[in-house]
């Protein structure tokens, strides 16, 4: 019996982690983290930011900060390592455990072709010649579905889309045939259609190669779609673990996470439609300067013939995939860029416009306290009571006003950015993907906050997003933007019940399939 | 290297600058020590002449201390000119691509195109030698260095969302440059100031060495090196001592610049505080 168990362990288990502890200074960031990962299994690691998901992944490949103090045991097939600061990960990292990161843009060397990123490991670690390495890299690239007609060995990272770069990164992680792949938020930077493709690929690789995959995400629907098992982390501990249907009944945390994002019939106050601004036939053309004087300059239409009206106190959503021209439109409306054609009419005088940006931390000056950032639009002295009032309106406690952006969470930073936007009481608030960089849980809080601010202050909002679930939650009317054109618009309810245009259907299908799977699986 | 050690080096470096400044101020009071006294020439190191005397009977120790004044005042003047003009130019040029920014950057390249020594000789011929001329010549070449550094550091900041938010808050480009961009590049500017101080000391020594720097009898490390070269075999200390003075000053200023730029960043400062606690 014992022997059989041992044999089973050898065959089935890809990785076993026992009692991982990590301390940073006096702070315990991971406590007694233990789990096993089978071959062909996709283990989903879910939790809010700061719960220890990424720290666990980094501990597995010895990428913890130097000051970290840690212990535990890691078993990979026959090899057992006791983890400490002196453990050598040379034989494991890359060879047995491959890594896929969140931001494909930041990981690539801009001066190296995409193909060489995959071939490099084969050349340096496996000792193949560059020729052999490139041949093998091409095979790996084919496996992950990187299109052959893109010629990976001639193209550079900036030549291809985020989704294709993510494929290259997966190929690079797989090149050395590891038994385990850790994917840390691999699809967070991608739009829904691309996200689907990447997740399907991961699932297929796990099945075909017997690869154990640890998939880290704050996005539960993503995990629910592909993961065989889920592990919920909170405050550096594993709260629950098991298959999703089991967990849903047991863990209130999880069912709350799942319940977010679809209270469809939120109260939408009826308004007597008095237009705040009208946009007529707006267009934006970018001209790339001609490289040689005999070659005519190329132009590119980012936006074509956009017409829409925003009424006072109304929330209008502009939904489209990345590259559809959403952000260009936001910039023009905010006066940060100029339109090439068309006009923007404010019937009752040009209104005050404020904006909330996608990356909450990047929208705050890192050297300014939160209070000072909020004070900026009104040039208030730092102790003016209006600042604390705006902060409180957005759910920020006064002590936070003395902190710096790196000392608060992403959700708090986004609340601060919203407080800065509303302190001047704008008539129009432009929200450029305000919830796509924050946790699933915080997303819901931010959306509720925006809804409340609309009711309290009557601020009209233009909500720009690729997230159809969030758009449905918040908006009164929806405009669908595809390749710079508005292809469909109507009341939120109509669009969701009877989408007409293929682009709309694609956006809705991608989002709802992920949610339905999360709910029903 | 531990943080504690690094912190003590910062303290040490600042102490060095303090001593250096005091010595520079002390220069006029040492005047009678470096008068020419042929009967005392080339005396070895002793308790009355710590570093001995040179071929004109001047006290080398007093000369080295007196040399602080020339090098510090020339380098400081050069940095004030360079940073005072270069930093605003770099900030303005980085704000947006305009005719103005192109003019600023082209003028930068133009100055870079002239060899520094030629300009120094030119100024020397027009205005004569002296601390002012040397400071002006070195300062002129500091302008594009500061402008370029600040331009490069500020350029990516202008596309940040908090700058867009500031524009929406109605701030002018100049205000944004002053309140948002400048503080964020201050650590870069600080490091560059310290680095250019070091290089300024080196440049002053170079100019004085070729005879177009400060005028005798004001002591200068560069001229001491020049005068020592014929005696390099007989009295090598006459070259080694001022040489060490130059090398140490350059080293300390560069070092301090490095550490200060770390400390100016609140994210890194947290690391320091954390590790000290």
């Amino acid at each position: 019996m014992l022997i059989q168990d041992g044999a089973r362990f050898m065959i089935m288990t890809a990785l076993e982690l026992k009692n991982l502890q990590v301390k940073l200074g006096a702070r315990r960031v991971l406590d007694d983290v233990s789990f096993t990962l089978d071959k062909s299994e996709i283990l989903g690691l879910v939790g809010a930011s700061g719960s220890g998901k990424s720290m666990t992944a980094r501990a597995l490949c010895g990428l913890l900060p130097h000051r970290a103090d840690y212990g535990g045991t890691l078993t990979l097939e026959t090899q057992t390592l006791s983890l400490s600061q002196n453990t050598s990960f040379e034989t494991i990292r890359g060879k047995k455990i491959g890594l896929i990161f969140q931001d494909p843009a930041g990981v690539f060397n801009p001066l190296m072709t995409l193909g060489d990123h995959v071939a490099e490991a084969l050349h340096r670690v496996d000792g193949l010649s560059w020729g052999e390495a490139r041949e093998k890299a091409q095979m790996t690239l084919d496996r992950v579905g990187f299109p052959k007609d893109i010629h990976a060995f001639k193209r550079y990272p900036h030549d291809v889309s985020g989704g294709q770069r993510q494929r290259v990164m997966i190929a690079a992680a797989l090149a050395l045939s590891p038994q385990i792949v850790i994917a840390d938020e691999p699809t967070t930077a991608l739009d829904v259609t691309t996200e689907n493709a990447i997740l399907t690929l991961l699932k297929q690789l796990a099945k075909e190669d017997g690869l154990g995959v640890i998939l880290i995400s704050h996005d539960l629907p993503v995990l629910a779609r592909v993961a065989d098992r889920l592990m919920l982390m909170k405050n550096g501990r594993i709260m629950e673990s098991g298959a999703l249907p089991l967990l849903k009944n047991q863990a209130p945390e999880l069912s709350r996470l799942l319940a977010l994002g679809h209270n469809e019939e939120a109260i939408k106050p009826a308004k007597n439609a008095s237009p705040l601004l009208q946009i007529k036939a707006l267009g934006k053309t970018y001209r790339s300067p001609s490289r040689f004087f005999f070659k005519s300059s190329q132009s590119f239409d980012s936006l074509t013939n956009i017409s829409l009206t925003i009424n006072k106190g109304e929330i209008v959503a502009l939904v489209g995939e990345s590259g559809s021209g959403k952000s260009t439109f936001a910039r023009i409306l905010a006066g940060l860029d100029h339109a090439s054609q068309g006009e923007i009419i404010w019937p009752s005088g040009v209104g005050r416009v404020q904006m909330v940006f996608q990356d909450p931390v990047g929208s705050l000056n890192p050297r300014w306290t939160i209070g000072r950032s909020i004070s900026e639009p009104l040039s208030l002295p730092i102790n003016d009571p209006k600042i604390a009032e705006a902060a409180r309106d957005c759910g920020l406690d006064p002590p936070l006003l003395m902190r710096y952006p790196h000392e608060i969470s992403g959700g708090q930073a986004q609340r601060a950015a919203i407080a800065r936007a509303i302190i001047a009481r704008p008539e129009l608030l432009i929200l450029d993907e305000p919830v796509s960089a924050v946790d699933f849980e915080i997303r819901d809080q931010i959306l509720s906050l925006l809804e409340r601010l609309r009711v309290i202050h009557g601020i009209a909002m233009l909500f720009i997003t690729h997230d159809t679930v969030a758009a449905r939650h918040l908006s009164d009317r929806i405009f669908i933007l595809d390749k710079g054109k508005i292809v469909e618009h109507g009341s939120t309810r109509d669009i969701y019940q009877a989408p007409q245009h293929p682009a709309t259907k694609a956006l809705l299908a991608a989002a709802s399939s992920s949610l339905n799977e999360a709910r029903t699986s | 290297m531990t943080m504690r050690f690094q912190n003590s080096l910062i303290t040490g470096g600042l102490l060095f600058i303090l001593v250096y400044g005091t010595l520079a101020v002390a220069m006029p009071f040492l005047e009678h020590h470096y008068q020419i006294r042929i009967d005392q020439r080339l005396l070895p190191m002793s308790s009355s002449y710590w570093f001995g005397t040179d071929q004109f009977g001047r006290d080398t120790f007093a000369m080295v201390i007196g040399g602080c004044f020339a090098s510090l005042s020339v380098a400081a003047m050069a940095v004030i000119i360079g940073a005072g003009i270069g930093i605003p130019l770099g900030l303005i040029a980085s704000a947006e691509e305009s005719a103005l920014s192109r003019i600023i950057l082209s003028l930068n390249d133009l100055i870079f195109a002239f060899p520094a020594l030629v300009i120094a000789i030119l100024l020397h011929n027009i205005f004569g030698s002296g601390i002012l001329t040397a400071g002006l010549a070195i300062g002129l070449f500091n302008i594009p260095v500061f402008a370029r550094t600040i331009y490069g550091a500020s350029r990516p900041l202008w596309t940040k969302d908090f700058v867009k938010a500031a524009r929406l808050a109605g701030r002018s480009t100049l205000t944004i440059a002053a309140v948002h961009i400048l503080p964020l590049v201050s650590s870069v500017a600080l490091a560059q100031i310290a680095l250019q101080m070091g290089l300024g000391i080196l440049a002053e020594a170079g100019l004085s060495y070729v005879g177009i720097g400060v005028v005798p009898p004001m002591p200068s490390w560069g001229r001491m090196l020049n005068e020592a070269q014929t005696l390099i075999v007989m009295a090598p200390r006459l070259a080694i001592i001022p040489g060490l003075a130059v090398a140490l000053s350059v080293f300390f200023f560069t070092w301090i610049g490095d550490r200060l730029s770390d400390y100016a960043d609140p994210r890194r400062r947290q690391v320091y505080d954390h590790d000290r606690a």
Side-chain angles (χ1 to χ4, degrees), chain A residues 334 354-355 357 363 365 367 376, chain B residues 161-162 168 180 183-184 266 274:
Chain A
Q354 287 292 330
M355 196 161 169
F357 303 89
S363 71
N365 186 329
R367 297 280 176 89
E376 188 174 34
Chain B
D161 286 342
F162 63 80
L168 286 171
H180 280 288
L184 284 172
H274 178 86

Side-chain angles (χ1 to χ4, degrees), chain B residues 105-116 141-149:
Chain B
L105 294 175
S106 314
L107 279 177
N108 263 346
D109 295 341
L110 190 72
I111 297 184
F112 272 134
F114 282 96
F141 285 94
N142 273 347
I143 295 173
V145 173
F146 278 101
R148 267 285 170 196
T149 316

Side-chain angles (χ1 to χ4, degrees), chain A residues 15 45 58 75 132 141 152 171 174-175 308 351 357 364 371 468 493 500:
Chain A
L15 169 151
L45 209 52
R58 287 164 74 177
T75 311
E132 289 167 336
L141 283 164
L174 291 177
L308 63 87
F357 303 89
L364 300 169
T468 49
R493 183 190 294 240
Q500 303 297 322

Side-chain angles (χ1 to χ4, degrees), chain A residues 77-270:
Chain A
E77 297 205 312
T78 52
Q79 190 182 5
T80 301
L81 283 173
S82 76
L83 300 176
S84 75
Q85 269 159 319
N86 305 320
T87 311
S88 162
F89 284 89
E90 293 280 296
T91 55
I92 297 174
R93 196 188 302 143
K95 294 175 205 164
K96 296 210 169 140
I97 302 183
L99 280 166
I100 301 167
F101 300 94
Q102 172 176 357
D103 169 28
V107 180
F108 285 91
N109 177 348
L111 299 177
M112 220 161 119
T113 65
L114 290 164
D116 279 351
H117 280 94
V118 183
E120 190 186 25
L122 290 162
H123 170 68
R124 286 187 202 284
V125 181
D126 273 5
L128 301 180
S129 73
W130 271 111
E132 289 167 336
R134 290 204 170 111
E135 220 166 274
K136 201 169 165 201
Q138 184 61 56
M139 279 159 57
T140 318
L141 283 164
D142 291 345
R143 281 219 57 202
V144 300
F146 189 83
K148 261 208 157 75
D149 54 349
I150 294 186
H151 299 292
F153 288 97
K154 287 183 189 153
R155 298 289 175 159
Y156 291 87
H158 66 269
D159 289 331
V160 297
S161 67
Q164 300 300 6
R165 275 199 295 264
Q166 196 61 282
R167 279 183 202 276
V168 175
M169 189 140 67
I170 293 174
L174 291 177
L176 294 170
S177 325
Q179 284 112 36
I180 295 151
V181 164
I182 300 175
D184 192 356
E185 305 270 7
T187 57
T188 307
L190 305 174
D191 61 60
V192 271
T193 322
T194 322
E195 176 175 80
N196 273 334
I198 295 289
L199 291 175
T200 314
L201 170 66
L202 278 177
K203 200 163 187 172
Q204 179 201 339
L205 290 169
K207 201 178 283 172
E208 288 174 7
D209 289 12
L211 199 66
V213 179
I214 300 178
L215 183 61
I216 299 170
S217 181
H218 64 259
D219 193 347
L220 200 61
V222 162
L223 288 178
R225 199 138 24 114
V226 290
D228 302 310
R229 211 150 47 91
L230 281 182
M231 225 161 67
L232 176 68
M233 290 194 75
K234 196 180 177 184
N235 300 331
R237 284 168 165 278
I238 296 176
M239 305 300 286
E240 301 282 343
S241 116
L244 182 64
L246 278 175
L247 277 185
K248 249 202 321 188
N249 303 328
Q250 289 167 3
E253 280 274 333
L254 210 57
S255 33
R256 202 155 54 80
L257 277 171
L258 274 172
L260 295 177
H262 28 81
N263 47 339
E264 290 137 31
E265 302 306 320
I267 317 114
K268 308 262 160 71

Side-chain angles (χ1 to χ4, degrees), chain B residues 42 54-55 226-239:
Chain B
L42 290 174
D54 67 3
Q55 67 267 47
N226 179 320
E227 287 163 359
Q229 64 188 344
T230 49
L231 299 162
I232 192 80
V233 181
M234 232 169 93
R237 65 184 157 83
L238 290 181

